[in-house]
Amino acid sequence: MADRRHRVRIYVLSDDHLWDNIGTGQISISYVERLQGMALLVRSETDGSLLLESKINPQTLYKKQQGVLIIWYEAENHGMALSFQDIAGCREIWEGICQVQGKDPTVKDPLDKSERPVEKADTSTLIKLPVCELNTLEQIANLVTSVLASPILRERLARILEHDNYIKKLLQLFHTCEDQQNTQGLHHLHDIIKGILSLNKTTLLEILFSDECIMDVVGCLEYDPALAQPKKHREFLTQNAKFKEVVPITDSELRKKIHQTYRVQYIYDILLPAPSMFEENFLSSLTTFIFFNKVEIVSMLQEDEKFLFQVFAQLKDETTDNDKRLELMLFFKDFFAFSQTLEPHSKDMLFKTLTQLGILPALKMVMNMSDLQIKTAATDIFTYLMEYSPSMIRAFIMQEAEKREDEDLFINMIIEQIVGDTDPELGGAFHLVGLLRCLLDPDNMLITINTCERSEFLNFFYKHCMHNLIAPLLATTSGSKCGEGNILLNLILELLIFCVQHHTYYIKHYILSNDLLRRVLMLTESKHTFLLLCAIRFMRRMIGLKDELYNRYIIQGNLFEPVVKALLDNGTRYNMLNSAIIELFEYIRVENIKSLVVHVVENYNVLQSIEYVKTFKGLKIKYEQEKHRQNQIRENLHSMLYSKILCQGVSVLDMKEEVGFNEDMKDAVLPPLENDFPDDDTFMETEPAARRMRRGRKLRVM
């Protein structure tokens, strides 16, 4: 029962007798075990959570109003309302409710006085369009405008307009009004056509956007009553907007579809007002119409392998002039933009086809050209490919590395474009750095049974490419003092910070082996605060990893010195630089990174004079606590070692005494066996002698 889900908004009657919207979701009627009966269930369209669970009681009075509303009261002053997106959905749920209650859905409850008489009739005779003539245009415009507030009346008007060529008759009157310069009639026709578009009916759009009608529709929309003079949109579409075929299109249907899509998109973007936040479904059928047109265009081009092959052949041909090459690139840019409308499977097939035809080698060739427009279009296409599959780009780069020198690699060419961007604002460099970051992001790298893309690609990058990326940084910091910095260094440092965060092993080896942090910290002498902040952030990110190798590198190189100098030079000014440096030391204190705490306190006593924050006093306290703890450990260890050595010494003495006693006993002369009772004098004399001998040995050992 009502297995299909329909989109609804839920309203609850508040204590102020106002209807509050509590959410939008998909409604169904299902059996709920807990309620022991059938219930209305609405689940959120965003997260699937349950917005409404209302049991359908036989005694509850449900009311259907305006064709798209169902209202009922679950308790006194607790009203509920469902507002449906379409009439069909409301009708289906209404029939389900009536079936549960055992009622006939076509019979109106005699107690229900709320429905307006105009909504009772089930035929379209309540809407009667005037005869399509010049003197009735005002009546037609008023009628079309008036029905827009009622979903059921919009539906009925749309059904009438679908027949009897009524729209085509209106457009014939448009030519008559233009010929007679009937401005008032043209204004009425503008309102009529705009109203018909607002009916949001696909069947009407197919009539309006047909080859014979679409330019007349554009003409009607030129005569906006709010404008003093009409805009010349038809002139622009027919004279200024030229359709260029980079390769002749032999399919006439494809050509018509391209023309239609361009013009409909123009109507949507230029001639119609942007929908407000309260009109989420405004012109939804128009956007859907454009969407499916684009899908159809891409599918038709994809199926024509000969066409794509010819386009690629011209693009790769070195004799192709720049104007033609620009047209080819703009075609591909639009083609890739349209491809975003495809289903995942169709999109996969398209991109595999383009890869086999050689889209990446072609992009590499054109991105290296001097023409800015061609390079920009190529970069946009490269962005689409990157969004689709970074792994595909990485695979191409790795294959290329097996055959070419480092300077000829695609990725090094991208880095060269970043470093050599001539735009003062580095717009192209910003874009390319974002793409490079996507290439270097381990989160989108694949791991299979046979290969680990992360280790292979990052090993390759740090060996063959990183030196090109940091070359401007090394050049600026090559002397004893920092050279003139620029925005490019900021871009490079931001990318290095990303690498520190995500390439822990690879970037660490590179930093330690090239003493890179020292070169970065030379930027603290720059007059550009943004570079100084970026250098501090780079060091902060390294310390944030709490890697003892980094800590020892910083300590041995005394790399806090430029940071402390920058803080002291900044004085008491409370600014971003001050906050960044203090936060760095505060992190060391809070995380109690012992090696760095000791190094800072013992080597930078000048920081103790800074009292407007408790950070440096806190570092001193941490240092003293650690020193006290170490002293306690040493004392306890000394005591333990002393006790252990003493115990071992006593054990050794006892062992030696035992051995000596046994040896004395062997040397002693035993009395004769026959004399069972020796003289007392003899016994007394022998025993003390033996004891004295043992005592003498003890003294010698001591």
Side-chain angles (χ1 to χ4, degrees), residues 26-65:
Q26 303 289 326
I27 188 171
S28 63
I29 299 178
S30 303
Y31 182 81
V32 178
E33 183 70 28
R34 182 174 58 82
L35 300 178
Q36 296 294 308
M38 303 297 289
L40 294 169
L41 302 177
V42 180
R43 294 196 175 275
S44 172
E45 63 182 3
T46 56
D47 57 9
S49 60
L50 192 63
L51 298 178
L52 175 68
E53 184 182 67
S54 175
K55 183 179 179 180
I56 302 174
N57 293 309
Q59 296 80 18
T60 301
L61 177 62
Y62 293 87
K63 303 176 183 178
K64 182 163 74 78
Q65 297 182 1

Side-chain angles (χ1 to χ4, degrees), residues 122-373:
D122 194 37
T123 66
S124 60
T125 56
L126 291 177
I127 296 180
K128 184 173 179 61
L129 279 171
V131 179
C132 196
E133 296 176 349
L134 287 176
N135 57 358
T136 59
L137 286 177
E138 184 177 1
Q139 299 177 37
I140 299 171
N142 292 336
L143 176 62
V144 172
T145 305
S146 65
V147 303
L148 295 179
S150 171
I152 193 168
L153 292 180
R154 290 205 310 266
E155 185 78 17
R156 291 172 180 170
L157 177 61
R159 286 202 297 266
I160 295 173
L161 291 172
E162 290 173 10
H163 304 94
D164 300 329
N165 291 325
Y166 199 89
I167 293 176
K168 293 182 179 180
K169 293 176 182 177
L170 285 171
L171 296 177
Q172 289 173 2
L173 288 179
F174 166 71
H175 290 286
T176 304
C177 288
E178 268 206 322
D179 293 339
Q180 298 178 1
Q181 298 183 351
N182 184 349
T183 305
Q184 189 175 6
L186 292 170
H187 287 168
H188 291 321
L189 282 167
H190 170 274
D191 294 339
I192 293 169
I193 295 300
K194 185 178 176 182
I196 294 175
L197 288 170
S198 301
L199 294 176
N200 210 18
K201 197 71 173 175
T202 305
T203 52
L204 297 181
L205 297 182
E206 291 174 352
I207 298 172
L208 291 169
F209 299 148
S210 61
D211 289 344
E212 58 180 315
C213 296
I214 189 166
M215 292 308 294
D216 292 337
V217 170
V218 173
C220 291
L221 294 175
E222 289 179 355
Y223 291 92
D224 188 344
L227 300 176
Q229 293 293 329
K231 300 292 184 179
K232 299 181 179 181
H233 296 293
R234 285 173 293 172
E235 181 179 326
F236 173 82
L237 289 173
T238 55
Q239 298 180 21
N240 299 85
K242 299 295 184 181
F243 177 63
K244 297 180 180 180
E245 299 182 41
V246 291
V247 172
I249 297 176
T250 57
D251 190 339
S252 59
E253 289 299 320
L254 174 58
R255 187 185 293 105
K256 289 180 181 179
K257 190 65 67 176
I258 293 172
H259 281 298
Q260 184 191 58
T261 305
Y262 177 81
R263 290 166 179 169
V264 175
Q265 188 75 60
Y266 184 88
I267 291 172
Y268 180 77
D269 292 336
I270 306 299
L271 297 177
L272 295 177
S276 69
M277 60 181 294
F278 304 105
E279 300 173 314
E280 57 180 295
N281 295 318
F282 180 71
L283 298 179
S284 60
S285 294
L286 180 54
T287 56
T288 303
F289 185 92
I290 296 171
F291 174 86
F292 283 109
N293 262 23
K294 291 180 178 180
V295 171
E296 192 171 350
I297 290 170
V298 174
S299 300
M300 294 171 75
L301 288 173
Q302 184 179 358
E303 292 169 1
D304 192 348
E305 295 182 2
K306 184 178 179 181
F307 175 83
L308 289 177
F309 181 80
Q310 291 176 348
V311 174
F312 272 103
Q314 289 192 29
L315 187 61
K316 295 177 183 178
D317 189 352
E318 296 181 358
T319 61
T320 303
D321 61 78
N322 283 355
D323 291 339
K324 182 65 175 180
R325 201 180 302 277
L326 177 60
E327 292 178 4
L328 292 165
M329 295 308 299
L330 293 177
F331 162 77
F332 270 117
K333 181 181 175 181
D334 290 340
F335 185 60
F336 275 93
F338 281 21
S339 70
Q340 304 306 301
T341 61
L342 294 176
E343 294 293 328
H345 174 70
S346 301
K347 195 173 181 180
D348 289 342
M349 294 295 294
L350 173 62
F351 278 81
K352 286 178 181 178
T353 301
L354 295 174
T355 304
Q356 292 170 358
L357 290 171
I359 184 65
L360 287 171
L363 280 180
K364 179 185 175 183
M365 181 184 71
V366 296
M367 285 180 72
N368 208 21
M369 298 180 66
S370 58
D371 190 291
L372 182 59
Q373 286 183 295

Side-chain angles (χ1 to χ4, degrees), residues 468-479:
N468 294 323
L469 180 64
I470 66 171
L473 172 64
L474 299 181
T476 304
T477 58
S478 59

Side-chain angles (χ1 to χ4, degrees), residues 550-609:
Y550 277 144
N551 296 342
R552 287 203 295 269
Y553 164 62
I554 292 170
I555 293 169
Q556 291 171 5
N558 200 24
L559 296 178
F560 276 112
E561 184 174 347
V563 178
V564 173
K565 183 178 182 300
L567 177 62
L568 297 177
D569 291 344
N570 189 63
T572 57
R573 286 174 292 177
Y574 183 68
N575 50 25
M576 290 182 67
L577 175 60
N578 177 276
S579 299
I581 296 177
I582 293 222
E583 191 278 333
L584 185 149
F585 287 110
E586 180 68 12
Y587 178 81
I588 295 172
R589 184 193 70 81
V590 171
E591 296 297 324
N592 196 18
I593 306 175
K594 296 180 176 59
S595 59
L596 297 183
V597 169
V598 171
H599 176 72
V600 171
V601 173
E602 290 183 350
N603 292 274
Y604 302 101
N605 191 51
V606 67
L607 294 174
Q608 297 304 314
S609 63

Side-chain angles (χ1 to χ4, degrees), residues 396-413:
F396 170 75
I397 292 171
M398 296 298 290
Q399 292 171 5
E400 188 184 40
E402 298 175 358
K403 306 173 184 177
R404 297 179 180 273
E405 297 295 330
D406 288 358
E407 292 76 12
D408 296 330
L409 296 177
F410 190 17
I411 188 169
N412 280 334
M413 189 209 71

